[in-house]
Amino acid sequence: MTTEPATSFPKDRIKVLLLENIHPSAHELFRGEGFHLETLPGALGEDELVKRIADVHVLGIRSKTHVTERVLGNARRLLTVGCFCIGTNQVDLASAARHGVPVFNAPFSNTRSVAELVIAETVMLSRCLGDRIREMHVGQWRKVATASFEVRGKTMGIVGYGHIGRQVGVLAEAMGMRVVFFDIAARLPMGNNHPTKTLEELLGQSDFVTLHVPETPQTRSMFGAKEIAAMRQGSYLLNASRGTVVDIAALADALKAGHLAGAAIDVYPEEPEKNSDGFKSPLLGLSNVIVTPHIGGSTAEAQEAIGREVGEALIKFVNGGVTTGAVNFPHIDNGPTPGKYRILNVHRNVPGVLRDINRIVTDRGANIAAQILATDPDIGYLVMDLDQDVALDVKNAIAALGTDIKTRILY
Ligand code: NAI
């Protein structure tokens, strides 16, 4: 339970701490709102973060700062955390929810960057460009047309037709390729892309197979010796999804045996923690194999878009209580209701809380202009707009209920 007073005004009381060189596109947004902004170039260790978090309302991190139970326990004023990246496992999400703190990330800001890399690699594989470039860098002039093809007219098989897969489909078609896709969910085909009924059907007709599935128990080692053997002789495999999806040893065997003509791999079952760590893989040194260090989504445009996407989500939550896109919280997105007094309440999800809260409001003679409740198994999130300014009184009474996790007033 918190007794934190209303925190949305004055706006310069909202303290935003951004760590790990978050893109300036986010700084501009927070400054534009009049929030108090502090930025640090690096990550903070747990002890340092525990010290600094006490008066922070909004925390922005990337992948290297760990927001633990201990950090959250010391974050008395924390309203929300933004992960300015895709992954969120550096945050104890369940603990954050128990503290009434929604966590946001940017799952789609780098979609286009990944799709463009896949298209570039498709052409590179088709022309053995990796090998030609490597030869030139050691002074070898090898002007050959062997094993070099146009991509026009070839078939691109996309496994996982979500955000990235669909973009790849659109771009591949624009290059004159025929596009087929396989997804476990029904997906509306873009342009002339065609769904296949089974993965085998896709593998049997694709010159290029590109993987865009998430990491799930079903996709773990989804591409092993059997699936690779089912690919066409002389075809190519691209993986810019997750490293656990492909059995790298089986892939290396298929490349050495000449069953596959090449591969482009951006993600690996084990990836180095730091840029200074070395990298080993059975794929290194194999011909027509493009290996990249998980850079599919690493572009200036993606970083800028991530700054904007997460920054906007955090501001919408601070200003209006909107939780759409939060990874650990029930979703509510109701627009502003001018002239009303908005109460945001996070509570333990036990029976009767809404009844108790409504009784508190009724007892004070106030009218509820709008009310939305969303729950997950552990917490309930209530956004309620009142006609009369009894919000502080209502807030204090809710705090006394014993089910309250966090209650905030927006005027
Ligand atoms: P998404 O969630 O929009 O799409 C994934 C699609 O895969 C969905 O349509 C889903 O139904 C489908 N799917 C799930 N299990 C499947 C299965 N067993 N067989 C066939 N289809 C299946 O995800 P998004 O944004 O397109 O990302 C795809 C992958 O790309 C993710 O693994 C993500 O982590 C990775 N990624 C990699 C980056 C990089 O730097 N290389 C950057 C961004 C994302």
Side-chain angles (χ1 to χ4, degrees):
M1 183 187 91
T2 175
T3 51
E4 175 74 356
T7 50
S8 58
F9 291 102
K11 286 199 170 186
D12 61 1
R13 275 191 51 208
I14 302 288
K15 183 167 175 189
V16 181
L17 176 63
L18 299 184
L19 307 176
E20 304 187 58
N21 256 335
I22 285 167
H23 196 276
S25 58
H27 306 188
E28 286 161 25
L29 288 174
F30 293 122
R31 289 210 179 93
E33 285 296 313
F35 294 171
H36 175 88
L37 177 65
E38 189 183 346
T39 61
L40 291 176
L44 289 181
E46 193 183 47
D47 290 343
E48 188 59 26
L49 189 54
V50 164
K51 270 190 229 151
R52 286 191 173 246
I53 199 82
D55 63 344
V56 170
H57 295 101
V58 177
L59 175 67
I61 59 167
R62 290 171 71 186
S63 58
K64 295 201 170 62
T65 303
H66 291 266
V67 182
T68 59
E69 165 75 39
R70 192 174 146 232
V71 170
L72 290 159
N74 283 276
R76 285 179 298 114
R77 292 171 189 253
L78 191 63
L79 300 177
T80 179
V81 174
C83 299
F84 287 74
C85 50
I86 315 299
T88 52
N89 53 8
Q90 68 279 37
V91 180
D92 185 336
L93 296 175
S95 168
R98 281 197 303 276
H99 284 89
V101 174
V103 178
F104 296 89
N105 68 341
F108 310 123
S109 291
N110 57 11
T111 297
R112 177 68 181 207
S113 302
V114 180
E116 287 191 10
L117 182 73
V118 166
I119 294 299
E121 289 176 339
T122 303
V123 177
M124 288 184 76
L125 288 173
S126 213
R127 304 289 292 271
C128 301
L129 272 193
D131 292 353
R132 295 298 88 79
I133 293 166
R134 195 162 39 203
E135 290 153 9
M136 288 295 274
H137 276 289
V138 295
Q140 257 183 301
W141 178 273
R142 221 177 135 243
K143 180 174 160 55
V144 289
T146 325
S148 287
F149 308 97
E150 291 184 354
V151 298
R152 180 174 49 168
K154 307 296 183 304
T155 298
M156 171 73 91
I158 301 170
V159 182
Y161 198 64
H163 289 85
I164 297 173
R166 285 197 294 270
Q167 284 276 326
V168 170
V170 169
L171 295 175
E173 203 165 276
M175 304 275 291
M177 300 183 80
R178 179 176 163 262
V179 178
V180 293
F181 66 87
F182 171 72
D183 198 299
I184 48 167
R187 297 281 179 230
L188 181 72
M190 309 293 285
N192 295 316
N193 295 187
H194 287 289
T196 63
K197 285 202 171 57
T198 62
L199 179 60
E200 290 65 36
E201 195 188 322
L202 177 140
L203 298 179
Q205 55 181 294
S206 299
D207 300 297
F208 297 83
V209 174
T210 184
L211 309 181
H212 299 290
V213 292
E215 186 174 56
T216 66
Q218 291 76 38
T219 63
R220 188 166 271 272
S221 301
M222 175 183 183
F223 257 74
K226 179 169 157 266
E227 290 71 24
I228 293 171
M231 289 174 64
R232 297 181 65 183
Q233 169 70 34
S235 60
Y236 308 84
L237 180 67
L238 298 92
N239 184 21
S241 63
R242 297 298 287 263
T244 52
V245 176
V246 174
D247 178 342
I248 294 287
L251 173 62
D253 288 347
L255 287 159
K256 283 184 210 157
H259 176 59
L260 295 190
I265 304 295
D266 188 44
V267 288
Y268 308 87
E270 278 149 28
E271 297 184 0
E273 281 274 305
K274 303 191 291 292
N275 278 353
S276 54
D277 293 347
F279 174 69
K280 288 201 179 106
S281 168
L283 298 175
L284 301 190
L286 299 184
S287 74
N288 208 20
V289 172
I290 300 169
V291 281
T292 46
H294 202 149
I295 48 156
S298 305
T299 62
E301 287 83 356
Q303 291 307 315
E304 189 191 349
I306 287 170
R308 263 187 281 112
E309 184 179 347
V310 181
E312 278 164 9
L314 296 174
I315 288 169
K316 274 183 165 179
F317 176 71
V318 172
N319 288 345
V322 174
T323 51
T324 307
V327 294
N328 64 335
F329 232 69
H331 289 180
I332 290 188
D333 182 0
N334 54 335
T337 43
K340 307 292 181 220
Y341 302 88
R342 177 166 291 182
I343 294 184
L344 312 176
N345 165 256
V346 189
H347 55 261
R348 286 190 292 112
N349 186 12
V350 292
V353 178
L354 191 58
R355 177 203 59 209
D356 294 342
I357 291 177
N358 285 344
R359 187 176 301 138
I360 287 170
V361 176
T362 317
D363 287 351
R364 280 148 188 85
N367 185 40
I368 297 172
Q371 188 179 51
I372 302 182
L373 171 70
T375 61
D376 68 18
D378 300 316
I379 60 170
Y381 178 47
L382 175 72
V383 177
M384 178 167 67
D385 294 332
L386 302 180
D387 274 344
Q388 289 89 353
D389 186 9
V390 291
L392 190 56
D393 193 14
V394 168
K395 174 180 170 350
N396 290 337
I398 292 174
L401 282 178
T403 46
D404 181 50
I405 293 176
K406 205 180 202 99
T407 302
R408 189 156 67 97
I409 305 169
L410 301 175
Y411 288 96

